[in-house]
Amino acid sequence: MTSIAFLGAGMMGAAMIRNYLKAGHRVTVYNRTPAKVVPLVDLGARVAATPAEAASGAEVVISSLTNDAASRECWAGAHGVLSADLEPGTIAVEASTVSLPWVAELDRLVREKKMRFVDAPVAGRPDVAEAGKLRVFAGGAIEDIDALRPVLAAVSAGVTRFGPVGSGITFKLIYNVMGAVQVAATAEAMFACEAVGIDLRAAAEAFSAGATGSPHVVRHARYMAENKHENPVQFSGRMRIKDVGYGIDLIEDRGAQSVLGHATIAVFQQMVDQGVGDRNDSELIDALRSSSRSRRERR
Ligand SMILES: NC(=O)c1ccc[n+]([C@@H]2O[C@H](COP(=O)([O-])OP(=O)(O)OC[C@H]3O[C@@H](n4cnc5c(N)ncnc54)[C@H](OP(=O)(O)O)[C@@H]3O)[C@@H](O)[C@H]2O)c1
């Protein structure tokens, strides 16, 4: 049994917390919106009013938060984890998809407090998190990641160490650019099929059965064909833009290129411009329909 502080009871966080509780760990949760913690208390979670309060006495502190701003607030803000009196050797784990520069800064701040740091972003949507089958892409000292493995086993089907601190998020951002490109390509291809009069169910079946059929394509083509999207929203267009933006910054900073990353942001930006950026990424096809219709009407 490990004493875990968990920051962020969003879709991913709440699913992970449920699995940590199920595995017998002691979990203290901080969430900005307190109401989201209530169902977790029924399962045995303790509640903290601030990240600092959650972290005090914890052996491992894990966060699953929207972006750099949310992570900075919870770790380094006025009532953040780093303002608490923590045991030296406590392991700080950033499981959110955030930028590499922020991960590097957070590592430095954590080390100043004599704590250890591991970046451990996850792959898999909330249903995969619920099943405890996430893939963890870890960066950090071998001994720190090994110390975490029994804890992470509660939420994951596998932990891959990519190298020192920062390497987990580095791989995750490249992985997510590739994933977002596939979702954007699926929406464009399905919309193209519709435009030329191909039945969308037949198209989804053929894209899924053929060499095009990655898990992203299989999942999203079906939602698009059935015009039935996940409820509640599992991963939004806005989150896609956030991830690809961090990814492009990293890729270009290292001298590689992301032509497809830029194109993917331009495609998802249509959702934001139409005021539906917080809808599921699979609903991108509706944004494409709508902007193409407006373009035709303007001609
Ligand atoms: N959804 C997926 O499929 C998926 C898959 C892999 C990785 N991820 C990554 O996992 C992380 C969490 O995603 P999610 O899907 O769980 O998102 P979510 O349901 O929107 O949850 C976001 C969490 O961040 C908190 N938050 C946002 N801004 C904050 C701020 N300024 N200060 C304090 N807390 C703040 C939210 O608190 P409130 O409840 O108060 O809003 C909530 O706890 C993200 O980095 C995402 O990219 C998501």
Side-chain angles (χ1 to χ4, degrees):
M1 195 269 290
T2 300
S3 180
I4 298 171
F6 203 103
L7 318 175
M11 269 180 308
M12 296 295 285
M16 288 192 253
I17 292 162
R18 283 191 283 273
N19 280 315
Y20 283 126
L21 289 168
K22 227 184 280 170
H25 298 295
R26 198 165 85 153
V27 188
T28 306
V29 182
Y30 164 77
N31 195 63
R32 180 181 61 177
T33 306
K36 286 192 194 166
V37 186
V38 174
L40 299 168
V41 171
D42 295 340
L43 301 175
R46 293 151 189 248
V47 190
T50 65
E53 187 187 315
S56 95
E59 296 162 88
V60 175
V61 183
I62 306 173
S63 63
S64 177
L65 300 155
T66 307
N67 53 16
D68 283 13
S71 174
R72 184 181 287 280
E73 178 67 29
C74 288
W75 287 96
H79 304 287
V81 173
L82 297 167
S83 69
D85 231 356
L86 297 159
E87 288 295 318
T90 303
I91 308 182
V93 182
E94 180 49 279
S96 324
T97 307
V98 288
S99 74
L100 179 61
W102 167 240
V103 162
E105 186 182 340
L106 181 55
D107 173 48
R108 184 178 53 74
L109 295 172
V110 161
R111 277 171 208 286
E112 280 173 12
K113 298 285 287 186
K114 308 274 179 274
M115 292 160 67
R116 302 181 276 168
F117 182 79
V118 169
D119 48 305
V122 297
R125 289 164 86 101
D127 55 339
V128 178
E130 200 65 59
K133 301 276 185 221
L134 293 167
R135 307 290 315 179
V136 179
F137 303 146
I142 292 171
E143 59 274 23
D144 294 345
I145 292 173
D146 284 347
L148 274 177
R149 283 182 196 277
V151 175
L152 295 175
V155 298
S156 72
V159 178
T160 305
R161 178 181 180 269
F162 282 88
V165 165
S167 60
I169 193 65
T170 295
F171 179 75
K172 166 71 176 166
L173 291 174
I174 296 169
Y175 175 98
N176 269 28
V177 171
M178 188 169 163
V181 167
Q182 291 180 30
V183 177
T186 308
E188 282 198 345
M190 291 292 281
F191 180 40
C193 285
E194 181 176 275
V196 300
I198 292 171
D199 176 72
L200 287 192
R201 285 174 197 263
E205 207 180 299
F207 282 134
S208 301
T212 45
S214 75
H216 269 311
V217 172
V218 172
R219 180 174 191 134
H220 288 83
R222 183 167 57 83
Y223 294 143
M224 291 172 195
E226 292 172 0
N227 193 25
K228 204 168 138 205
H229 303 277
E230 288 170 292
N231 187 17
V233 173
Q234 300 289 288
F235 199 71
S236 68
R238 201 184 298 281
M239 292 287 259
R240 285 279 176 210
I241 292 174
K242 181 257 310 185
D243 286 2
V244 178
Y246 290 153
I248 291 174
D249 288 347
L250 164 91
I251 290 165
E252 293 184 343
D253 185 57
R254 299 302 173 92
Q257 55 173 281
S258 189
V259 176
L260 293 175
H262 285 287
T264 297
I265 288 192
V267 174
F268 278 108
Q269 186 62 36
Q270 295 178 51
M271 292 182 75
V272 174
D273 293 346
Q274 291 172 27
V276 291
D278 294 319
R279 305 294 308 163
N280 282 295
D281 51 359
S282 57
E283 295 176 63
L284 172 60
I285 189 168
D286 292 331
L288 299 185
R289 286 179 180 121
S290 173
S291 44
S292 298
R293 205 168 33 244
S294 314
R295 224 172 285 145
R296 272 197 309 277
E297 283 164 7
R298 277 200 304 274
R299 272 193 210 133

